[in-house]
Amino acid sequence: MSAPGYARRVAGFGTTIFAEINNLSLQHGAVNLGQGRPDFDGPQEVVEAAINALRSGNCNQYAPGRGIPQLMEGIAQHAAVFYDLEVDPENGVLVTPGATEAIFCSIMGLIDPGDEVIVIEPFYDSYVPGIEMAGATPIYVSLHPPDWVFEPDELRAAFSDRTRAIMNNTPKNPTGRVFTRAELQLIADLCLKHDVIVIAAEVYEPLLFDNARHVPIASLPGMFERTVTVGSAGKTFGMTGWKIGWVYGPPDLITGAWRSIQFTSFATNHPAQVGVAHGFAMGSSYYEEYQALYHGKRALMMDVLAGAGMKSILPQGTYFVMADFSDLFDGDDVAFTQHMITEIGVSCIPPSVFFTPEHRHITKDHVRFTFCKNDDTLLQAAERMRKLRG
Ligand SMILES: Cc1ncc(COP(=O)(O)O)c(C=O)c1O
């Protein structure tokens, strides 16, 4: 007799940290600097383009399964203009309901049961459930504070003849670091040596500061053929609610992802794709303004943390910063997050959830804050967090 309940493949998953923190924040009226969810709107002309698409009467039915041609063209053009990558817009691009789905269908379409997949931690929290649902085994390589770099020998040791893929994310959530060309080259060399593919989540590629440069791992010699690169309109155009993402790469790998997504979502929101296609047509001044906006917010966030007495390293990219609270609080990151929400009234994320349980101690003194918020929200957080100094 089978009892009602969950399938074994999802039984261990629980609730995502973002849902948990959002609920707790609401309950306690906390200023929410937890989830990377802007509290201001994206570009109005992108919104207008989607509204026009809705009203046109031509976009309220299924979009073509792989995406609408003008968006696929925009994605390929972006890769060509910014990174000199030659992407086939017709067969080398797949539009998906968000980057999370792009990652999931890439895993499902490219990884077999019994394969090993290297995961650099802290990791985006969808990677491991995806790998497990594919019947594969995650192999962890940790980044170490304070600079959040990997030990080359630990990375080398993670590769074996069972390794099929590595999940790579740069600019890195939650550490705010941008991997250097040398770091990426080491990953690439190991992938080439062991015949491993890369699922490259580069969703924060437009969010860079100072002299940081984003190097797509697909642009390194010999790597395009073995890399699928994931992007997100939630990050590039600040429209997280639209859930438009994409993956591009060599047509044979993209076809694997496509075969999987055909039977999960089949096609992606049509009018929102028209809006995002318009976003790609806005030109490079958009990205300059976007970076300038976040440059100011990063400075404000650093002031918030300094005012609260926390130590942190200036992020090179993304809208996240890791802050060390060990001078202020006796307890781990989960206890501090609880304290922050219930006593201080500001939410953050305990990054230990982005590590495998055996490695959670690595980040026990840090929490992640996001600065994708109105300046007023950040100032309100600053006011509340001054209490932390006692
Ligand atoms: C590394 C990384 N990948 C993927 C995503 C998800 O993007 P989307 O909202 O488009 O699914 C995020 C969002 O926080 C992320 O940080």
Side-chain angles (χ1 to χ4, degrees):
M1 264 258 301
S2 63
Y6 308 132
R8 279 195 295 279
R9 83 172 65 79
V10 301
F13 290 167
T15 309
T16 77
I17 188 68
F18 305 109
E20 255 180 55
I21 297 290
N22 288 345
N23 287 339
L24 209 58
S25 298
L26 272 177
Q27 233 172 297
H28 293 272
V31 176
N32 194 344
L33 304 186
Q35 190 175 26
R37 179 181 191 272
D39 63 353
F40 52 91
D41 213 354
Q44 286 312 290
E45 60 181 288
V46 171
V47 174
E48 288 299 328
I51 292 171
N52 291 339
L54 276 165
R55 293 215 168 108
S56 71
N58 296 323
C59 300
N60 294 325
Q61 309 303 337
Y62 293 126
R66 284 179 181 247
I68 60 170
Q70 66 266 42
L71 178 54
M72 295 163 85
E73 192 66 57
I75 292 163
Q77 269 288 88
H78 183 87
V81 169
F82 286 88
Y83 307 118
D84 215 9
L85 288 172
E86 211 175 298
V87 176
D88 174 351
E90 220 175 299
N91 303 304
V93 178
L94 175 63
V95 178
T96 62
T100 310
E101 179 63 39
I103 291 162
F104 189 73
C105 73
S106 298
I107 292 172
M108 288 298 151
L110 301 173
I111 290 168
D112 273 320
D115 286 345
E116 288 183 356
V117 180
I118 297 171
V119 177
I120 297 178
E121 53 185 7
F123 44 75
Y124 179 59
D125 67 338
S126 80
Y127 297 171
V128 175
I131 292 165
E132 289 174 348
M133 281 193 266
T137 306
I139 305 291
Y140 299 98
V141 175
S142 307
L143 300 178
H144 299 281
D147 296 326
W148 302 106
V149 290
F150 55 73
E151 282 292 330
D153 281 343
E154 287 178 13
L155 182 69
R156 281 187 200 103
F159 281 80
S160 77
D161 55 10
R162 286 183 302 281
T163 312
R164 165 65 174 156
I166 179 167
M167 312 294 300
N168 195 50
N169 166 222
T170 185
K172 183 98 184 117
N173 171 13
T175 65
R177 257 205 88 223
V178 178
F179 279 179
T180 62
R181 182 177 286 273
E183 286 168 320
L184 292 167
Q185 189 61 59
L186 177 59
I187 296 172
D189 289 345
L190 289 164
C191 289
L192 290 162
K193 180 172 169 199
H194 293 272
D195 192 18
V196 165
I197 62 167
V198 185
I199 299 178
E202 299 184 358
V203 299
Y204 298 103
E205 52 92 11
L207 254 174
L208 298 171
F209 305 111
D210 310 325
N211 300 322
R213 289 283 162 273
H214 172 64
V215 178
I217 196 162
S219 69
L220 298 180
M223 290 305 290
F224 186 81
E225 298 72 16
R226 54 180 66 248
T227 302
V228 294
T229 303
V230 172
S232 166
K235 316 300 172 189
T236 302
F237 301 111
M239 305 291 193
T240 63
W242 284 14
K243 292 301 294 183
I244 300 288
W246 53 86
V247 55
Y248 67 74
D252 58 337
L253 295 186
I254 294 302
T255 298
W258 158 236
R259 286 197 176 174
S260 153
I261 206 171
Q262 281 187 107
F263 300 111
T264 48
S265 54
F266 174 66
T268 297
N269 184 301
H270 196 157
Q273 287 195 59
V274 177
V276 176
H278 183 90
F280 275 112
M282 286 189 301
S284 61
S285 64
Y286 165 72
Y287 301 102
E288 286 154 24
E289 284 164 24
Y290 189 60
Q291 290 186 357
L293 173 80
Y294 274 103
H295 199 269
K297 294 192 182 299
R298 181 186 64 157
L300 198 48
M301 186 77 234
M302 297 311 280
D303 288 348
V304 175
L305 296 176
M310 289 192 199
K311 294 183 295 241
S312 55
I313 291 180
L314 199 61
Q316 302 167 322
T318 78
Y319 40 53
F320 301 114
V321 58
M322 291 277 258
D324 179 334
F325 58 82
S326 54
D327 290 345
L328 302 170
F329 185 81
D330 229 0
D332 66 10
D333 60 328
V334 174
F336 183 68
T337 300
Q338 182 86 21
H339 173 73
M340 282 288 290
I341 298 174
T342 58
E343 306 299 323
I344 305 295
V346 177
S347 305
C348 48
I349 298 284
S352 57
V353 298
F354 307 138
F355 282 79
T356 193
E358 303 86 79
H359 297 162
R360 287 190 176 160
H361 59 277
I362 292 174
T363 190
K364 70 178 184 9
D365 293 336
H366 292 84
V367 284
R368 186 195 84 173
F369 291 95
T370 183
F371 46 93
C372 60
K373 302 293 170 179
N374 274 306
D375 291 359
D376 283 351
T377 311
L378 296 172
L379 290 170
Q380 205 188 343
E383 184 63 38
R384 292 182 179 198
M385 283 167 66
R386 274 192 210 106
K387 280 187 281 183
L388 276 169
R389 278 182 182 274

Short mmCIF file of all heavy atoms in Angstrom, two decimals, residues 337-364:
data_model
loop_
_atom_site.label_atom_id
_atom_site.label_comp_id
_atom_site.label_asym_id
_atom_site.label_seq_id
_atom_site.Cartn_x
_atom_site.Cartn_y
_atom_site.Cartn_z
N THR A 337 20.77 36.02 11.77
CA THR A 337 19.68 36.42 10.87
C THR A 337 18.37 36.54 11.65
O THR A 337 17.60 37.50 11.50
CB THR A 337 19.53 35.39 9.72
OG1 THR A 337 20.76 35.35 9.01
CG2 THR A 337 18.41 35.75 8.77
N GLN A 338 18.14 35.57 12.51
CA GLN A 338 16.94 35.59 13.36
C GLN A 338 16.92 36.85 14.23
O GLN A 338 15.91 37.56 14.32
CB GLN A 338 16.98 34.32 14.25
CG GLN A 338 15.80 34.12 15.16
CD GLN A 338 14.66 33.40 14.44
OE1 GLN A 338 14.90 32.74 13.44
NE2 GLN A 338 13.44 33.56 14.93
N HIS A 339 18.07 37.14 14.82
CA HIS A 339 18.21 38.33 15.68
C HIS A 339 17.96 39.60 14.86
O HIS A 339 17.25 40.52 15.29
CB HIS A 339 19.63 38.33 16.27
CG HIS A 339 19.98 39.55 17.04
ND1 HIS A 339 19.46 39.83 18.28
CD2 HIS A 339 20.81 40.60 16.74
CE1 HIS A 339 19.96 40.99 18.72
NE2 HIS A 339 20.77 41.47 17.78
N MET A 340 18.54 39.63 13.67
CA MET A 340 18.39 40.81 12.80
C MET A 340 16.91 41.07 12.50
O MET A 340 16.44 42.20 12.54
CB MET A 340 19.14 40.60 11.48
CG MET A 340 20.64 40.81 11.57
SD MET A 340 21.06 42.55 11.76
CE MET A 340 20.64 43.18 10.14
N ILE A 341 16.20 39.99 12.16
CA ILE A 341 14.80 40.18 11.74
C ILE A 341 13.91 40.52 12.94
O ILE A 341 13.12 41.46 12.88
CB ILE A 341 14.27 38.93 11.00
CG1 ILE A 341 15.10 38.69 9.73
CG2 ILE A 341 12.79 39.08 10.65
CD1 ILE A 341 14.77 37.41 8.98
N THR A 342 14.09 39.78 14.02
CA THR A 342 13.15 39.95 15.14
C THR A 342 13.51 41.12 16.07
O THR A 342 12.63 41.78 16.60
CB THR A 342 13.04 38.65 15.97
OG1 THR A 342 14.34 38.32 16.45
CG2 THR A 342 12.50 37.49 15.15
N GLU A 343 14.81 41.40 16.24
CA GLU A 343 15.21 42.44 17.20
C GLU A 343 15.60 43.75 16.54
O GLU A 343 15.40 44.82 17.09
CB GLU A 343 16.39 41.95 18.07
CG GLU A 343 16.16 40.62 18.77
CD GLU A 343 14.97 40.67 19.73
OE1 GLU A 343 14.77 41.71 20.38
OE2 GLU A 343 14.22 39.66 19.81
N ILE A 344 16.22 43.65 15.36
CA ILE A 344 16.73 44.87 14.71
C ILE A 344 15.75 45.38 13.65
O ILE A 344 15.67 46.57 13.38
CB ILE A 344 18.13 44.59 14.07
CG1 ILE A 344 19.10 44.02 15.12
CG2 ILE A 344 18.71 45.83 13.39
CD1 ILE A 344 19.46 44.97 16.26
N GLY A 345 15.03 44.43 13.02
CA GLY A 345 14.06 44.84 12.01
C GLY A 345 14.63 44.98 10.62
O GLY A 345 14.13 45.77 9.80
N VAL A 346 15.69 44.22 10.33
CA VAL A 346 16.27 44.21 8.98
C VAL A 346 16.55 42.75 8.61
O VAL A 346 17.11 42.01 9.41
CB VAL A 346 17.59 45.02 8.92
CG1 VAL A 346 18.22 44.95 7.52
CG2 VAL A 346 17.36 46.49 9.31
N SER A 347 16.16 42.36 7.39
CA SER A 347 16.38 40.96 6.98
C SER A 347 17.63 40.82 6.15
O SER A 347 17.99 41.71 5.38
CB SER A 347 15.21 40.47 6.13
OG SER A 347 14.03 40.66 6.83
N CYS A 348 18.25 39.65 6.30
CA CYS A 348 19.41 39.29 5.49
C CYS A 348 19.29 37.78 5.24
O CYS A 348 18.29 37.17 5.64
CB CYS A 348 20.70 39.64 6.22
SG CYS A 348 20.75 39.09 7.94
N ILE A 349 20.28 37.20 4.59
CA ILE A 349 20.23 35.76 4.29
C ILE A 349 21.42 35.08 4.96
O ILE A 349 22.55 35.57 4.84
CB ILE A 349 20.29 35.52 2.76
CG1 ILE A 349 19.08 36.14 2.03
CG2 ILE A 349 20.42 34.03 2.42
CD1 ILE A 349 17.76 35.41 2.15
N PRO A 350 21.17 33.97 5.65
CA PRO A 350 22.31 33.23 6.23
C PRO A 350 22.95 32.36 5.13
O PRO A 350 22.33 31.42 4.65
CB PRO A 350 21.65 32.36 7.31
CG PRO A 350 20.23 32.18 6.84
CD PRO A 350 19.88 33.35 5.97
N PRO A 351 24.18 32.68 4.72
CA PRO A 351 24.74 32.00 3.54
C PRO A 351 25.10 30.55 3.77
O PRO A 351 25.42 29.84 2.80
CB PRO A 351 25.98 32.83 3.19
CG PRO A 351 26.27 33.65 4.38
CD PRO A 351 25.05 33.75 5.22
N SER A 352 25.04 30.07 5.02
CA SER A 352 25.37 28.66 5.24
C SER A 352 24.41 27.74 4.47
O SER A 352 24.76 26.61 4.14
CB SER A 352 25.36 28.31 6.73
OG SER A 352 24.11 28.61 7.28
N VAL A 353 23.21 28.25 4.13
CA VAL A 353 22.28 27.42 3.35
C VAL A 353 22.79 27.19 1.93
O VAL A 353 22.28 26.34 1.21
CB VAL A 353 20.86 28.02 3.27
CG1 VAL A 353 20.24 28.13 4.64
CG2 VAL A 353 20.85 29.39 2.58
N PHE A 354 23.80 27.96 1.53
CA PHE A 354 24.38 27.79 0.19
C PHE A 354 25.62 26.91 0.22
O PHE A 354 26.43 26.91 -0.71
CB PHE A 354 24.73 29.16 -0.43
CG PHE A 354 23.61 30.16 -0.45
CD1 PHE A 354 23.84 31.48 -0.13
CD2 PHE A 354 22.32 29.79 -0.80
CE1 PHE A 354 22.82 32.42 -0.15
CE2 PHE A 354 21.28 30.71 -0.83
CZ PHE A 354 21.54 32.03 -0.50
N PHE A 355 25.79 26.19 1.34
CA PHE A 355 26.89 25.23 1.49
C PHE A 355 26.30 23.86 1.83
O PHE A 355 25.23 23.78 2.44
CB PHE A 355 27.80 25.64 2.65
CG PHE A 355 28.77 26.76 2.33
CD1 PHE A 355 28.34 28.08 2.33
CD2 PHE A 355 30.10 26.50 2.06
CE1 PHE A 355 29.22 29.13 2.06
CE2 PHE A 355 30.99 27.54 1.79
CZ PHE A 355 30.55 28.85 1.79
N THR A 356 27.05 22.81 1.53
CA THR A 356 26.66 21.49 1.98
C THR A 356 26.84 21.44 3.51
O THR A 356 27.71 22.15 4.04
CB THR A 356 27.51 20.41 1.26
OG1 THR A 356 26.91 19.15 1.48
CG2 THR A 356 28.93 20.39 1.71
N PRO A 357 26.01 20.66 4.25
CA PRO A 357 26.06 20.73 5.72
C PRO A 357 27.47 20.61 6.30
O PRO A 357 27.80 21.34 7.24
CB PRO A 357 25.17 19.57 6.14
CG PRO A 357 24.16 19.46 5.03
CD PRO A 357 24.91 19.81 3.77
N GLU A 358 28.32 19.77 5.73
CA GLU A 358 29.68 19.61 6.31
C GLU A 358 30.53 20.87 6.19
O GLU A 358 31.53 20.99 6.87
CB GLU A 358 30.46 18.47 5.62
CG GLU A 358 29.83 17.11 5.62
CD GLU A 358 28.88 16.94 4.46
OE1 GLU A 358 29.35 16.70 3.34
OE2 GLU A 358 27.64 17.07 4.66
N HIS A 359 30.16 21.77 5.31
CA HIS A 359 31.00 22.96 5.10
C HIS A 359 30.36 24.24 5.64
O HIS A 359 30.87 25.32 5.41
CB HIS A 359 31.29 23.14 3.60
CG HIS A 359 32.07 22.03 3.00
ND1 HIS A 359 32.14 21.79 1.65
CD2 HIS A 359 32.84 21.07 3.58
CE1 HIS A 359 32.90 20.73 1.42
NE2 HIS A 359 33.33 20.26 2.58
N ARG A 360 29.26 24.10 6.35
CA ARG A 360 28.52 25.32 6.75
C ARG A 360 29.29 26.22 7.70
O ARG A 360 29.07 27.42 7.75
CB ARG A 360 27.16 24.94 7.35
CG ARG A 360 26.25 24.48 6.24
CD ARG A 360 24.81 24.30 6.63
NE ARG A 360 24.11 23.96 5.40
CZ ARG A 360 22.95 23.36 5.32
NH1 ARG A 360 22.30 23.04 6.43
NH2 ARG A 360 22.41 23.09 4.15
N HIS A 361 30.24 25.60 8.46
CA HIS A 361 31.02 26.40 9.41
C HIS A 361 31.84 27.49 8.69
O HIS A 361 32.17 28.50 9.28
CB HIS A 361 31.97 25.49 10.19
CG HIS A 361 32.93 24.75 9.30
ND1 HIS A 361 32.59 23.59 8.64
CD2 HIS A 361 34.19 25.04 8.91
CE1 HIS A 361 33.61 23.18 7.91
NE2 HIS A 361 34.59 24.04 8.04
N ILE A 362 32.14 27.28 7.40
CA ILE A 362 32.98 28.24 6.66
C ILE A 362 32.38 29.64 6.70
O ILE A 362 33.09 30.63 6.75
CB ILE A 362 33.18 27.76 5.20
CG1 ILE A 362 34.02 26.49 5.18
CG2 ILE A 362 33.79 28.85 4.32
CD1 ILE A 362 34.15 25.85 3.79
N THR A 363 31.08 29.69 6.72
CA THR A 363 30.42 30.99 6.60
C THR A 363 29.60 31.36 7.83
O THR A 363 28.72 32.21 7.77
CB THR A 363 29.58 31.00 5.30
OG1 THR A 363 29.14 32.30 5.05
CG2 THR A 363 28.39 30.07 5.40
N LYS A 364 29.95 30.74 8.96
CA LYS A 364 29.12 30.94 10.16
C LYS A 364 29.15 32.38 10.68
O LYS A 364 28.27 32.80 11.41
CB LYS A 364 29.50 29.96 11.27
CG LYS A 364 30.85 30.24 11.89
CD LYS A 364 31.13 29.26 13.01
CE LYS A 364 32.41 29.50 13.77
NZ LYS A 364 33.21 30.70 13.55
#
